[in-house]
């Protein structure tokens, strides 16, 4: 039975614009704004009496730990509330309308406060462990949410159910309608045109945004305990959604698109500043691993995002690079017994990866679609198992089998020892910070390679192949050759990252390069980083990769449920935002055709 | 209109297909077809659905390798790979539009330039001096082509957002971007309204005037007979007849297999008269004919509706519900 409407169930007229909670609009708006302000104040109260809960939430007059996050949520709510009143000085906050942003930021404060309260009760064991401050915070944040959800919104026009439907069909229909309504309540309007700023002011703005980005990222990476990290995820998740709905993200995108090189240089300067903000090397270690993972994801984006080749064994190319570097860099386990200088090892790793890329690509790239995925999956596993077997028992002794190539010496570049801490201009840069900066350079190379190749004849050919291979061939593109170039280029970039990885981790073992594993990097996570972040963009895989590395690292209490949670999170995200966190504008148009379609696109649509 | 410029038979032969046969297992889709296209010529290929027209096209463009026979372009045998065929100078469009939907209009045409540009990966990565020069030249050429088909104002639009008629035009521009000596158009006016068909017709003449030979498959007979210097009719994989428009139109076998006998009596004659009037170029006549046709259609629809209402008055709601 189709769901076409019969004559007697006409479209129900859209309900008059009102919120989910029956309150007059003025009251609702005031409640949300004041609730937000009170949430800010409540962050200054003591929430618990003992410092057994991490973060020291016991002090009146000074927020600590999770209270800062609550404060930020409350402040955002208030600011968007004031913007919705049109208060001078706040209007710029919401070029696309403030109501959806109020809802999301109120949710941010609410979620983080209630999470904290529950976490305190669970951790300390009883409700009496709460101070009245916690109750006040919970109450005012609830009020802000009530106010926010009482704000009227434009109701979508819904279709009534088909009277012939069975109960289940009716239920599905009703649920679908409710979902449409909920989505409509978070809709935001088109952005008002931006005020024209002089170019230096725009560049300053970009710098400010990058500074903010660095602060947020550093905060997330250095969260010392997992409650704070979960709070951080909640706040940044809802907060970023609020900024997006308010239209601020769109503004920033326009700005960075206009000053692309400034944004690129600025972003790398900000990233380079990260190890300088650290006093010990612990988080630089995390940082360099994130960079390696994100860079490899960006390399994969050439293969998957631009050319549309599903590669399920990509981590093997990282492994080829790492093993090559390990074997030629003077490890005692290496049968070759040579110690090439770093630049030579880097070239060797990249070249070996490229050769493997061509060897794998040449026979398989004549296949299309699923076949390629299967073959690459097989290659990834073959690589790992071969490395396992080259141990002198099952084969020649080259890789030392499952024990891996160990004791890889640190890089020494022009007398600069990457293994030692250096003090430059008062900043102490430890071992991992050294590698972080080196890896950042490699990331910059990969970003440039991605950008320049994407915006050229070959990049257009890749996209054409992705869009329609037959038509692309009819346009004179040698599909096999172009795909092979993409495949080999992707492999080479992964190889570069692999060389650094070998040195950072001292040891290269086959188990680091699995198809799926609870810890990144592995092929499944790499692919997820690309899809999650946004296919075909530069920032997408970098952000997606950072998140996918950070989350398993910080939430180790999940233990063996990690992959389960990860799977659920991926499903939810793909349901809500199939185009990825940082979408290519083209994908966004493809997946949300109903969204206002500014048909004119800028360069490469990124 | 300049419909009657027949090409001199001494002109250079651009495309020469000899004895092209294409078998899929036991099915012979194209059997022993010969076809030549000379430079400056527009040749039409007609025939009923399933006659093998598109298969024949695919044989010409290297998408299929013909089981027997050979295809020569300007004297050299075409290689059996579609990108090599394009590089050799034979461009094509597709029956069902196959644009690169998520690329802009300009980028679509730039992809068409692929074979005529050389810059490779290194040039792109290192931004060698030649890169910007070639990129600029490609863009200029692409914009020129967009101007030619009248889409220059939409250069930055996504191809998927173009209206249907513009998508067809863009496909032609993309094919032209490879500087072909011969362009194969597979039903370029399918799904177009009469006005759009008209513009396409003019576009094809303009392409011919650029010195590009055209081979076109089409079902719109008025379009084909207006446009083509020669027409070949393919039926069940075999070439039935080849000749000028009037020869083919008058051929009994073509009439029997494809065109069909005109109805005896008033409507056919009226229509023919209207067509003639329209072709004389009188705009009023066109309008009048359209009106008449509309009125006729309306009357017919009404009559039908009434009849149906009478016949199914009891079940009509059910029918609608479905």
């Amino acid at each position: 039975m189709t769901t076409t409407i019969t004559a007697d169930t006409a479209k129900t007229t859209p309900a008059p614009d009102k919120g989910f909670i029956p309150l007059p609009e003025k009251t609702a708006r005031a409640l949300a704004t004041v609730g937000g302000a009170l949430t800010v104040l409540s962050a200054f109260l003591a929430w618990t009496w003992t410092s057994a809960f991490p973060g020291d939430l016991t002090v009146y007059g000074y927020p600590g730990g999770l209270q800062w996050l609550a404060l930020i949520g409350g402040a955002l709510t208030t600011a968007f509330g004031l913007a919705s009143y049109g208060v001078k000085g706040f209007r710029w906050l919401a070029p696309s309308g403030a109501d959806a942003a109020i809802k999301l930021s109120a949710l941010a404060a609410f979620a983080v406060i209630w999470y904290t309260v529950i976490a305190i009760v669970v951790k300390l064991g009883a409700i009496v462990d709460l101070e009245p401050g916690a109750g006040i915070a919970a109450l005012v944040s609830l009020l802000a949410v009530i106010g926010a959800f009482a704000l009227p919104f434009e109701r979508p026009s819904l279709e009534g159910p088909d009277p012939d439907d069975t109960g289940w069909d009716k239920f599905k229909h009703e649920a679908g309608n409710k979902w449409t309504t909920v989505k409509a309540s978070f809709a935001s309007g088109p952005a008002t045109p931006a005020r024209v700023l002089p170019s230096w002011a725009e560049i300053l703005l970009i710098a400010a945004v990058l500074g903010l980005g660095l602060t947020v990222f550093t905060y997330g990476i250095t969260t010392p305990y997992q409650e704070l990290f979960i709070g951080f995820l909640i706040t940044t998740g809802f907060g970023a959604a609020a900024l997006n709905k308010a239209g601020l993200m769109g503004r920033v995108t326009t700005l960075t698109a206009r000053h692309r090189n400034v944004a690129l240089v600025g972003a790398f300067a900000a990233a380079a500043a990260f190890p300088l903000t650290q006093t010990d090397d612990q988080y630089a270690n995390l940082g360099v691993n994130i960079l390696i993972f994100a860079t490899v994801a960006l390399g994969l984006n050439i293969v998957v995002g631009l050319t549309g080749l599903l590669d399920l064994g990509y981590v093997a190319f990282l492994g080829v690079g790492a093993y090559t570097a390990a074997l030629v860099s003077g490890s005692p386990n290496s049968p070759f017994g040579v110690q090439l200088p770093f630049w030579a090892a880097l070239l060797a790793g990249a070249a070996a990866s490229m050769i493997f890329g061509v060897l794998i690509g040449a026979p398989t790239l004549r296949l299309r679609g699923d076949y390629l995925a299967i073959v690459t999956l097989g290659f990834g596993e073959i690589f790992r198992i071969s490395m396992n077997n080259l141990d002198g028992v099952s084969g020649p002794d080259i890789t030392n089998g499952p024990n891996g190539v160990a004791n890889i010496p640190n890089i020494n570049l022009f007398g600069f020892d990457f293994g030692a801490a250096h003090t430059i201009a008062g900043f102490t840069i430890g071992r991992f910070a050294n590698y972080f900066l080196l890896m950042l350079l490699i990331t910059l190379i990969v970003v440039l390679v991605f950008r320049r190749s994407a915006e050229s004849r070959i990049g257009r050919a890749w996209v054409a192949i992705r869009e329609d291979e037959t038509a692309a061939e009819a346009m004179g593109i040698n599909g096999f050759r172009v795909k092979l170039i993409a495949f080999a280029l992707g492999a080479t970039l992964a190889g570069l990252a692999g060389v650094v990885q070998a040195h950072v981790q001292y040891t290269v073992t086959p188990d680091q390069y699995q198809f799926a594993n609870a810890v990144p990097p592995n092929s499944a996570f790499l692919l997820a980083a690309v899809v999650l972040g946004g296919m075909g963009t530069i920032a997408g895989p970098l952000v997606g990769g950072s998140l996918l590395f950070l989350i398993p690292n910080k939430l180790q209490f999940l233990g063996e449920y990690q992959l389960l949670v990860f799977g659920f999170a991926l499903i939810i995200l793909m349901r809500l935002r199939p185009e990825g966190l940082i979408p290519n504008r083209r994908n966004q148009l493809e997946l949300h055709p109903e969204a206002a379609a500014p048909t004119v696109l800028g360069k490469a649509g990124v | 209109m300049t419909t009657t410029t027949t090409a001199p038979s001494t002109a250079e032969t651009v495309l020469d297909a000899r004895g092209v046969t294409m078998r899929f297992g036991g099915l012979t889709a194209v059997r022993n077809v010969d076809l030549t296209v000379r430079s400056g010529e527009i040749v039409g290929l007609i025939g009923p659905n399933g006659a093998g027209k598109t298969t024949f096209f695919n044989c010409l463009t290297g998408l299929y390798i013909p089981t027997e026979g050979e295809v020569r372009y300007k004297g050299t045998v075409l290689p059996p790979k579609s990108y090599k065929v394009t590089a050799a100078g034979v461009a094509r469009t597709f029956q069902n539009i196959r644009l690169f939907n998520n690329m802009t209009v300009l980028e679509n045409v730039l992809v068409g330039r692929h074979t005529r540009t050389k810059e490779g990966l290194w040039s792109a990565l290192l931004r060698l001096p030649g890169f910007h020069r070639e990129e600029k030249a490609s863009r200029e050429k692409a914009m020129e082509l967009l101007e030619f088909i009248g889409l220059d104002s939409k250069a930055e639009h996504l191809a998927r957002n173009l209206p249907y008629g513009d998508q067809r035009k863009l496909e032609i521009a993309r094919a032209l971007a490879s500087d072909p000596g011969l362009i194969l158009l597979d039903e370029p006016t399918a799904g177009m309204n009469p006005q759009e068909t008209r513009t396409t017709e003019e576009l094809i003449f303009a392409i011919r005037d650029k010195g590009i030979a055209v081979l076109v498959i089409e079902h719109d007979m008025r379009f084909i007979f207006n446009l083509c210097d020669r027409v070949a009719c393919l039926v069940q994989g075999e070439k039935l007849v080849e000749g000028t428009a009037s020869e083919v139109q008058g051929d009994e076998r073509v009439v029997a297999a494809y065109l069909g006998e005109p109805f005896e009596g008033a409507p056919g004659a009226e229509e023919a008269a209207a067509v003639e009037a329209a072709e004389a170029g009188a705009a009023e006549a066109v309008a009048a004919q359209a009106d008449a046709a509309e009125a006729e259609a309306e009357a017919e629809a009404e009559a039908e509706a009434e009849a149906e209402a009478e016949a199914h008055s009891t079940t009509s709601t059910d029918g609608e519900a479905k």
Side-chain angles (χ1 to χ4, degrees):
Chain A
M1 180 81 202
T2 52
T3 48
T4 329
I5 334 149
T6 46
D8 49 349
T9 58
K11 265 194 173 185
T12 52
T13 45
D17 293 351
K18 59 180 170 59
F20 287 112
I21 298 157
L23 277 179
E25 183 183 347
K26 277 185 183 164
T27 324
R29 202 171 291 283
L31 193 61
T33 314
V34 175
L38 290 176
T39 310
V40 172
L41 293 180
S42 74
F44 289 87
L45 303 175
W47 287 8
T48 176
W49 61 273
T50 160
S51 53
F53 189 79
D56 196 11
L57 311 181
T58 61
V59 189
Y60 279 91
Y62 188 80
L66 284 154
Q67 287 173 329
W68 277 110
L69 297 172
L71 188 150
I72 290 167
L76 275 177
T77 318
T78 319
F80 284 125
L82 291 174
S84 76
Y85 279 114
V87 176
K88 221 171 163 40
F90 284 93
R91 268 175 297 192
W92 63 271
L93 274 171
S96 305
D99 284 7
I102 293 177
K103 285 185 187 123
L104 285 164
S105 47
L107 271 181
F110 175 78
V112 80
I113 287 174
W114 282 69
Y115 166 72
T116 312
V117 169
I118 292 168
I120 291 174
V121 171
V122 170
K123 185 144 190 159
L124 303 184
I127 294 187
V128 290
D129 291 317
L130 296 171
E131 283 279 306
I136 293 171
L139 186 71
V140 292
S141 64
L142 181 64
L143 285 180
V145 168
I146 290 175
F149 279 86
L151 286 174
F153 60 91
E154 201 178 315
R155 293 276 176 160
S157 55
L158 302 168
E159 283 171 3
D162 191 329
D164 298 342
D165 276 354
T166 58
W168 171 241
D169 278 333
K170 253 185 203 153
F171 171 76
K172 272 201 296 190
H173 189 86
E174 292 295 326
N177 276 352
K178 285 200 181 106
W179 177 237
T180 317
T181 313
V182 170
K183 272 207 289 195
S185 72
F186 286 106
S188 59
T192 51
R195 205 144 46 96
V196 182
L197 291 172
S199 171
W200 58 266
E202 291 189 338
I203 290 168
L204 273 184
L205 262 178
I206 292 177
V209 170
L210 287 172
L212 184 71
L214 174 69
T215 316
V216 173
F217 182 72
T218 311
Y219 187 88
I221 223 175
T222 57
T223 45
Y225 48 100
Q226 68 196 28
E227 285 86 356
L228 191 60
F229 184 73
I230 294 174
F232 167 78
L233 281 185
I234 294 173
T235 318
T236 42
F238 281 113
L243 294 178
N244 186 25
K245 288 290 177 189
L248 286 179
M249 294 286 191
R251 282 283 150 87
V252 173
T253 315
T254 332
L255 277 186
T256 50
R258 209 176 302 156
H259 304 277
R260 290 198 319 159
N261 289 325
V262 174
L264 183 69
V265 171
F268 276 88
F274 166 71
L276 308 183
T277 63
Q278 300 303 305
T279 44
D280 69 44
D281 223 19
Q282 179 194 355
Y283 294 118
N285 178 15
L286 199 53
V288 67
N289 282 308
I290 288 176
L291 262 188
I292 291 171
F293 183 64
T295 306
V296 178
L298 185 55
L300 179 62
N301 203 16
I302 292 181
V303 181
V304 173
L306 290 182
T307 324
L309 307 169
L310 185 55
D311 186 347
L312 294 180
Y314 193 67
V315 82
F317 297 120
L318 179 72
V320 172
Y323 262 102
T324 312
L327 292 176
V328 300
S329 292
S331 158
N333 294 119
S334 162
F336 302 122
V338 287
Q339 183 163 8
L340 299 182
F342 173 66
W343 61 266
L346 193 69
L347 287 183
S353 280
M354 187 180 75
I355 291 167
F356 266 84
V358 172
L359 281 182
I360 300 310
T364 55
L365 286 173
R366 297 175 196 277
L367 308 173
R368 286 192 190 183
D370 304 348
Y371 302 105
L372 180 72
I374 298 293
V375 172
T376 50
L377 174 65
F379 161 68
E381 289 300 284
I382 288 170
F383 169 76
R384 182 173 63 82
I385 295 167
S386 310
M387 293 303 113
N388 229 341
N389 288 344
L390 294 176
D391 57 355
V393 180
S394 331
D397 184 10
I398 297 174
T399 64
N400 200 21
N403 296 326
V405 185
N407 295 324
I408 302 163
N410 278 305
I411 297 172
N412 195 322
L413 206 56
F414 307 118
F416 184 89
D417 182 7
F418 277 70
H422 297 262
T423 303
I424 297 167
F427 292 107
T428 306
I429 304 174
R431 174 175 186 269
F432 288 115
N434 292 332
Y435 281 113
F436 181 89
L437 294 174
L438 175 71
M439 194 56 219
L440 198 62
L441 212 62
I442 306 258
T443 309
L444 182 64
I445 293 173
V446 175
V447 167
L448 282 179
V449 166
F450 185 95
R451 204 173 83 176
R452 292 187 159 185
S453 58
E455 286 167 9
S456 71
R457 170 173 173 267
I458 194 101
R460 286 192 294 268
W462 287 338
V463 178
I465 294 261
R466 184 191 72 198
E467 293 282 308
D468 186 333
E469 192 162 344
T470 308
E473 294 238 333
M475 290 308 113
I477 294 169
N478 182 346
F480 171 68
R481 186 163 177 271
V482 168
K483 284 195 286 184
L484 191 60
I485 291 176
F487 208 73
L489 183 65
T492 312
L493 298 179
L496 285 180
V499 173
V500 179
Q501 193 205 27
H503 286 284
V504 172
Q505 300 190 337
Y506 293 118
T507 310
V508 182
T509 59
D511 280 350
Q512 290 168 325
Y513 308 105
Q514 297 186 351
F515 167 68
N517 193 1
V519 281
N522 57 61
S523 295
F525 268 58
L526 282 171
L527 197 64
V530 171
V531 175
L532 196 77
M535 293 215 274
T537 62
I538 292 174
L542 296 180
V543 171
S546 308
L547 277 178
L548 277 188
F549 195 91
L550 209 52
I551 291 173
N553 206 289
K554 290 282 182 181
L555 301 184
Q556 279 171 355
F557 70 96
L558 287 173
E560 46 197 273
Y561 296 109
Q562 216 167 46
L563 280 178
L564 183 75
V565 173
F566 171 66
F568 275 124
L570 212 58
I571 291 172
I572 291 169
L573 199 100
M574 285 295 107
R575 183 72 190 77
L576 295 177
R577 207 172 161 82
E579 69 274 28
L581 293 173
I582 300 186
N584 185 325
R585 285 181 64 198
R586 286 164 200 192
N587 284 345
Q588 203 166 22
L589 289 181
E590 192 178 343
L591 293 163
H592 297 286
E594 78 283 357
T599 39
V600 179
L601 282 179
K603 258 187 177 176
V606 178
Chain B
M1 215 176 322
T2 53
T3 52
T4 49
T5 41
T6 41
S9 53
T10 50
E12 182 199 8
T13 303
V14 179
L15 181 84
D16 186 11
R18 273 192 213 147
V20 172
T21 301
M22 185 74 214
R23 287 197 199 92
F24 299 102
L27 176 83
T28 309
V30 177
R31 181 174 300 153
N32 203 16
V33 174
D34 298 330
L35 190 75
T36 53
V37 180
R38 286 184 284 272
S39 76
E41 222 180 8
I42 302 177
V43 177
L45 193 59
I46 60 172
N49 286 324
K53 303 183 297 293
T54 299
T55 309
F56 181 62
F57 254 42
N58 288 345
C59 290
L60 296 184
T61 51
L63 227 56
Y64 296 154
I65 303 161
T67 328
E68 280 164 36
E70 63 171 18
V71 183
R72 286 171 181 274
Y73 172 75
K74 292 189 175 166
T76 48
V77 178
L78 281 177
K81 281 268 194 306
S82 73
Y83 65 89
K84 286 182 183 162
V85 170
T86 311
V90 180
R92 72 170 294 177
T93 66
F94 291 90
Q95 184 175 357
N96 37 356
I97 301 175
R98 298 187 86 149
L99 286 171
F100 307 122
N101 277 327
N102 294 310
M103 298 177 91
T104 65
V105 168
L106 180 65
E107 283 168 340
N108 265 278
V109 182
L110 284 174
V111 170
R113 291 289 303 160
H114 191 88
T115 49
R116 301 293 171 241
T117 43
K118 287 282 165 284
E119 42 155 293
L121 184 65
W122 286 114
S123 159
L125 291 186
L126 304 175
R127 298 277 139 122
L128 300 176
F131 176 82
H132 292 286
R133 201 178 334 118
E134 195 158 282
E135 195 77 344
K136 190 159 166 269
S138 294
R139 274 169 201 278
E140 271 166 16
K141 172 81 186 174
M143 281 311 291
E144 219 172 81
L145 275 170
L146 286 178
E147 224 164 287
F148 174 68
I149 59 158
L151 280 180
D152 48 331
S153 60
K154 294 182 177 173
E156 293 299 322
H157 289 222
L158 279 190
R160 67 205 317 272
N161 291 339
L162 290 184
Y164 183 82
D166 285 351
Q167 294 198 354
R168 283 259 177 229
K169 278 193 204 165
L170 177 57
E171 243 203 343
I172 295 175
R174 190 180 64 174
L176 287 176
S178 63
D179 293 336
L182 168 71
I183 185 168
L184 310 178
L185 306 173
D186 199 345
E187 299 201 17
T189 70
M192 283 188 172
N193 64 30
Q195 202 189 339
E196 286 169 329
T197 308
R198 207 75 170 172
T199 1
T200 310
E201 208 172 284
E202 272 153 32
L203 180 63
I204 294 175
F205 279 126
I207 291 170
R208 196 263 320 267
D209 293 342
K210 278 174 159 237
I212 300 168
V214 181
L215 177 61
V216 52
I217 294 179
E218 193 42 79
H219 280 299
D220 183 337
M221 284 309 122
R222 203 190 304 167
F223 173 80
I224 279 282
F225 292 138
N226 267 345
L227 199 66
C228 299
D229 304 312
R230 269 186 307 125
V231 179
C233 181
L234 223 57
V235 174
Q236 292 186 341
E238 282 178 286
K239 191 170 80 175
L240 213 55
V241 65
E242 184 187 334
T244 61
S246 53
E247 279 168 19
V248 172
Q249 225 169 348
D251 191 283
E252 275 173 26
R253 291 167 301 170
V254 177
V255 170
Y258 180 47
L259 295 180
E261 298 281 350
F263 277 123
E264 297 273 327
E270 228 171 60
E271 213 173 280
V275 170
E276 266 165 37
E279 282 181 2
E284 296 99 318
V286 174
Q289 185 233 355
D291 282 351
E294 223 166 75
E296 214 171 282
E298 263 170 37
E300 233 172 38
E302 256 169 49
E304 247 176 49
E306 266 169 39
E308 202 160 82
E310 271 166 35
H312 312 282
S313 58
T314 47
T315 53
S316 60
T317 34
D318 275 11
E320 271 167 38
K322 296 248 165 78

